[in-house]
Amino acid sequence: MLFSLDLLTPKFVAFEKLNNELLYFLEHAVPVGDFNRTCLSAGAIGKACWDNAKRPKGKEKLTKDKFQALHCELQKLTQADRQRLFETARDNQNLQGLFEAPNHQLLTFLTLGCFTALKELSSHLYCSTKSLQPVIDACGSVTINAHFENFKRVNGEVCRACGLERIAPFRADTPIEKQWRADYDHLLCKSKYPIYAVHPNNLFPICQTCNQDAKKAEDMFFCHSKKRPRAAFYPFTESAQDYVKLALKNDRDPEVCIQLSWLTDDALIQAKLKTWDDVYQIKKLVEGRFISLANIIEDELKAVSLDDLQANIAREVARPPSAATLKRKPEAFWLHKLYSYLVSIDLAPIWEQCHFIEEEHGEPGAEFILRG
């Protein structure tokens, strides 16, 4: 994560209650017995899950059916393994502790059938059960869209993972329930860590690029391409923002390019930075954004001379973006990092190169259009 999440980030009540329901079910599935109403809690959430079953002629398995399928698979395990599953889920609810001592083999003792049933139930709780009207009613009528708006009020509109994009556009004159919202990223993906599919500290919205294009089902604790464990930042207490720097690439590209690198010698932090980069492809995204320094100078700094360029950069460095600006304005963090580097180097060669590129490409299109 580029920015840590605010410690006052509101938890989505439906996730909290469904996570507790899953723990209740796993505990009460330890003894040998049939699947019945007592396998779920007596409260409103347990009732909502029990009542959400497929109709006699229905084909789609709903919440109750998913619980029953997992119960069936659990009964094929030894009682010791059922107890182990419950204790694994119960004793690893503190995600900060888990990130301090990563364990990507939490559920390797389960049979394939049991793991698959657990994954299908957990995914269903996240995708569908959270939106059942009885569940919403039991959670004080707070919907996922309402929680998303509350999340933005505390953490802002900029993606906490990359700092480059908004998590979702806001539309005027549109009620909360009809606003577009970002998908919630499972920090520990639900396909590999299904016991955290509805854990409230494992879910928060990030931009589409980070969630759907980059991360997908990447494992924060294990690099499958290199078959080795890895460490990762815990987003509520850690971030990368103090350990990154931008500088010119030392190569022979015809156009000046910027390179992102790490600003730390700490081996553990370097490992976490690498995971952040591997999972969200941060270096490629940032370097892609700043691949044309000439465009940055024209579009952002609007310099008309070398002296003007130097003055504009000095002014930007002297006025770093506020915490509020970083939450509102995509790229603000990275632009300030860039300016902080540029102010320390000789800008004359860069200015000359930018002019060379402009002359090579001909008359700027905007000036041509403005003149008609």
Side-chain angles (χ1 to χ4, degrees), residues 61-105:
K61 290 185 177 181
L62 301 179
T63 308
K64 176 185 175 182
D65 311 302
K66 301 286 186 179
F67 272 110
Q68 186 170 13
L70 176 56
H71 187 274
C72 180
E73 291 297 329
L74 286 171
Q75 295 302 305
K76 297 176 185 178
L77 302 179
T78 65
Q79 185 164 333
D81 277 345
R82 292 196 296 274
Q83 181 71 30
R84 183 180 177 185
L85 173 59
F86 164 63
E87 291 178 356
T88 297
R90 180 197 64 191
D91 297 344
N92 288 282
Q93 287 294 296
N94 178 6
L95 290 194
Q96 182 176 353
L98 186 61
F99 271 74
E100 291 171 355
N103 183 357
H104 66 280
Q105 297 180 314

Side-chain angles (χ1 to χ4, degrees), residues 174-224:
T174 305
I176 287 177
E177 292 306 317
K178 293 187 177 180
Q179 288 285 351
W180 296 327
R181 67 168 177 84
D183 287 335
Y184 280 52
D185 175 48
H186 286 81
L187 191 62
L188 299 178
C189 56
K190 62 183 183 294
S191 62
K192 297 180 178 67
Y193 302 90
I195 56 175
Y196 299 123
V198 284
H199 191 295
N201 286 356
N202 190 44
L203 285 146
F204 50 88
I206 59 176
C207 72
Q208 178 176 318
T209 298
C210 285
N211 191 12
Q212 298 181 21
D213 297 329
K215 184 172 184 287
K216 298 180 181 177
E218 279 282 342
D219 191 335
M220 301 298 285
F221 291 162
F222 193 80
C223 180
H224 288 269

Side-chain angles (χ1 to χ4, degrees), residues 165-294:
E165 298 184 21
R166 284 186 172 85
I167 50 178
F170 177 82
R171 294 177 295 161
D173 303 319
T174 305
I176 287 177
E177 292 306 317
K178 293 187 177 180
Q179 288 285 351
W180 296 327
R181 67 168 177 84
D183 287 335
Y184 280 52
D185 175 48
H186 286 81
L187 191 62
L188 299 178
C189 56
K190 62 183 183 294
S191 62
K192 297 180 178 67
Y193 302 90
I195 56 175
Y196 299 123
V198 284
H199 191 295
N201 286 356
N202 190 44
L203 285 146
F204 50 88
I206 59 176
C207 72
Q208 178 176 318
T209 298
C210 285
N211 191 12
Q212 298 181 21
D213 297 329
K215 184 172 184 287
K216 298 180 181 177
E218 279 282 342
D219 191 335
M220 301 298 285
F221 291 162
F222 193 80
C223 180
H224 288 269
S225 63
K226 296 183 179 179
K227 301 186 184 305
R228 65 187 184 193
R230 57 188 177 190
F233 290 120
Y234 181 59
F236 284 94
T237 58
E238 299 178 298
S239 68
Q241 67 182 94
D242 293 330
Y243 306 112
V244 296
K245 65 178 180 180
L246 298 179
L248 291 181
K249 284 185 178 180
N250 185 23
D251 57 24
R252 298 181 179 180
D253 288 347
E255 187 173 349
V256 177
C257 294
I258 292 296
Q259 185 174 45
L260 170 62
S261 58
W262 311 140
L263 192 61
T264 179
D265 294 324
D266 186 293
L268 180 57
I269 294 177
Q270 285 184 345
K272 293 180 179 182
L273 288 164
K274 179 169 175 49
T275 299
W276 173 56
D277 179 39
D278 288 344
V279 169
Y280 297 109
Q281 300 188 34
I282 297 299
K283 285 188 177 182
K284 290 182 179 180
L285 285 172
V286 174
E287 291 173 8
R289 169 65 180 91
F290 298 128
I291 197 167
S292 174
L293 194 52

Side-chain angles (χ1 to χ4, degrees), residues 322-335:
S322 66
T325 298
L326 291 176
K327 290 181 178 181
R328 287 194 301 261
K329 184 179 178 182
E331 301 182 350
F333 171 85
W334 293 111
L335 284 170

